[in-house]
Amino acid sequence: MRALVISGGGSKGAFGGGIAEFLMKTQGKKYDLFVGSSVGSLLISQLALGNISRLKNTFTTVRNRDIYNIFPFSVIKKNGNVTTKINHFNTLRAFIKKADTFGESKNLRKLIERTHPRDDYQKLKTAPEVVFTVSNLTKQRVEYYHAKECSYEDYCDWMWASANYVPFMSLMTKNNFQYADGGFGSFIPVRYAIEFGATEIDVIVLDKELHDDKLDVFSNPFESLMGVFRFMSNQIGFKDMLIAKLKGHQSHVDIRLWFAPEDLTDNPLYFNKKQMNEWWKQGYEYAKKTKPKCHCFTPDGTIIDS
């Protein structure tokens, strides 16, 4: 069984889309299983259906207002550079509304319905398996939902919940439980793909393999909070890959890893269509010119790491 796994990464999902386009459209790879976490969950349904051109159009034209109904950031453009800071006025609006979070992403839920119509949902019943990774904050555990086993409303909800980076995006309440970004529990959900029976796995990681030993000096609460979340994502991703390699040894699973070559952005919750269009192109060209990191087995069982 072949699987494609896509990690979290917010707007960097455009870069992952470019890699996926190369693998599926240029190399002609076919997968039996697609597993996504966070933005990975927003990519996998259309990939499973082969709707790569439509997916590309969505990811290269999306704007902040397509995601947020309350945008929690202020965007400052100076000398061609873009920086983001917390928007105190909008977070105050959220507070007055008695929202659970600093910002709200209800527009993303509407976007999901527009770009994943019921006809597509019905086609997924006979398509490869599509699995969303979600963090159940009430039960303090990671949960996985198969598109084929969901109603259409649930299908849209789980996709949305998987991509909601709390506290800057909405906290979804469903069946008396609260759900948030799948990356909080499994940033790179390779383990589930192995447990489901995949023997060949391509993994798109929307982050660098090795992080620079630079000292980040935080100057405000927003930078401190984002720094904490980056640290958590790095640690969770490291744990995910360590577990995947151990399980890969036991089950003789070939794992091919595609890492981002650089830090694409300091704030993946900011969506700029020009930037994301460029990232999609970069992802495609990067996959075209680069060999993946391999954790594979030869016929005699020898492990190959490269």
Side-chain angles (χ1 to χ4, degrees):
M1 178 188 291
R2 286 186 175 178
L4 179 64
V5 174
I6 305 179
S7 79
S11 58
K12 295 183 288 184
F15 186 87
I19 295 176
E21 180 183 12
F22 174 78
L23 293 175
M24 298 181 66
K25 201 168 181 178
T26 304
Q27 287 196 330
K29 285 196 172 185
K30 297 186 182 299
Y31 300 99
D32 308 293
L33 171 68
F34 292 81
V35 186
S37 183
S38 194
V39 73
S41 291
L42 300 180
L43 287 160
I44 55 176
S45 289
Q46 297 302 328
L47 290 175
L49 292 172
N51 295 334
I52 296 175
S53 295
R54 193 204 303 178
L55 179 67
K56 181 177 181 180
N57 180 65
T58 299
F59 265 78
T60 55
T61 59
V62 72
R63 298 157 296 180
N64 289 311
R65 66 187 184 194
D66 297 317
I67 305 296
Y68 302 95
N69 56 298
I70 297 181
F71 186 49
F73 308 115
S74 293
V75 180
I76 303 169
K77 299 179 182 179
K78 187 176 181 181
N79 299 325
N81 296 318
V82 176
T83 59
T84 53
K85 294 184 178 181
I86 200 73
N87 185 316
H88 294 94
F89 176 75
N90 278 357
T91 54
L92 179 60
R93 281 178 57 206
F95 178 76
I96 292 172
K97 284 183 61 179
K98 297 183 179 181
D100 300 311
T101 51
F102 298 140
E104 288 188 341
S105 55
K106 293 178 182 178
N107 288 353
L108 174 60
R109 179 61 172 76
K110 297 174 183 177
L111 178 66
I112 288 171
E113 283 203 39
R114 290 199 305 272
T115 55
H116 297 78
R118 288 181 182 271
D119 286 350
D120 283 354
Y121 161 73
Q122 291 298 334
K123 291 175 184 176
L124 282 174
K125 299 294 185 180
T126 55
E129 290 284 344
V130 169
V131 183
F132 307 126
T133 307
V134 177
S135 296
N136 185 327
L137 300 185
T138 307
K139 290 189 173 183
Q140 293 288 291
R141 71 184 188 190
V142 180
E143 296 176 354
Y144 301 91
Y145 291 94
H146 289 242
K148 292 181 180 180
E149 299 172 0
C150 296
S151 68
Y152 177 68
E153 293 300 323
D154 288 343
Y155 164 73
C156 293
D157 280 346
W158 297 130
M159 194 188 311
W160 181 52
S162 181
N164 275 337
Y165 201 78
V166 174
F168 303 107
M169 301 174 77
S170 296
L171 181 66
M172 187 184 83
T173 300
K174 190 178 181 70
N175 303 325
N176 296 320
F177 300 119
Q178 291 182 308
Y179 297 91
D181 196 295
F184 291 148
S186 183
F187 186 70
I188 314 170
V190 190
R191 177 181 180 177
Y192 186 81
I194 295 173
E195 292 177 345
F196 194 74
T199 53
E200 296 179 38
I201 306 175
D202 282 312
V203 185
I204 298 175
V205 184
L206 301 171
D207 208 348
K208 290 176 63 175
E209 181 180 14
L210 299 173
H211 294 272
D212 301 328
D213 292 330
K214 65 180 180 181
L215 180 64
D216 286 324
V217 178
F218 307 127
S219 59
N220 57 62
F222 169 71
E223 289 183 358
S224 301
L225 189 57
M226 292 301 289
V228 168
F229 279 132
R230 281 199 301 273
F231 175 79
M232 290 169 57
S233 294
N234 292 339
Q235 296 304 308
I236 293 168
F238 175 77
K239 176 206 71 175
D240 289 338
M241 290 314 308
L242 179 61
I243 293 173
K245 286 185 176 183
L246 290 172
K247 283 190 167 289
H249 284 171
Q250 297 168 0
S251 306
H252 279 211
V253 177
D254 288 349
I255 302 174
R256 294 175 176 81
L257 298 153
W258 303 83
F259 290 95
E262 60 187 4
D263 290 324
L264 297 172
T265 178
D266 289 331
N267 186 1
L269 303 181
Y270 169 65
F271 296 83
N272 179 288
K273 64 179 183 179
K274 181 179 179 181
Q275 184 181 60
M276 294 175 72
N277 186 61
E278 190 59 36
W279 283 345
W280 190 290
K281 295 176 183 176
Q282 289 176 8
Y284 181 90
E285 291 300 321
Y286 175 72
K288 185 177 178 181
K289 298 174 183 178
T290 308
K291 290 185 178 180
K293 298 282 291 184
C294 290
H295 186 74
C296 308
F297 294 84
T298 63
D300 63 0
T302 304
I303 302 169
I304 302 174
D305 280 309
S306 63

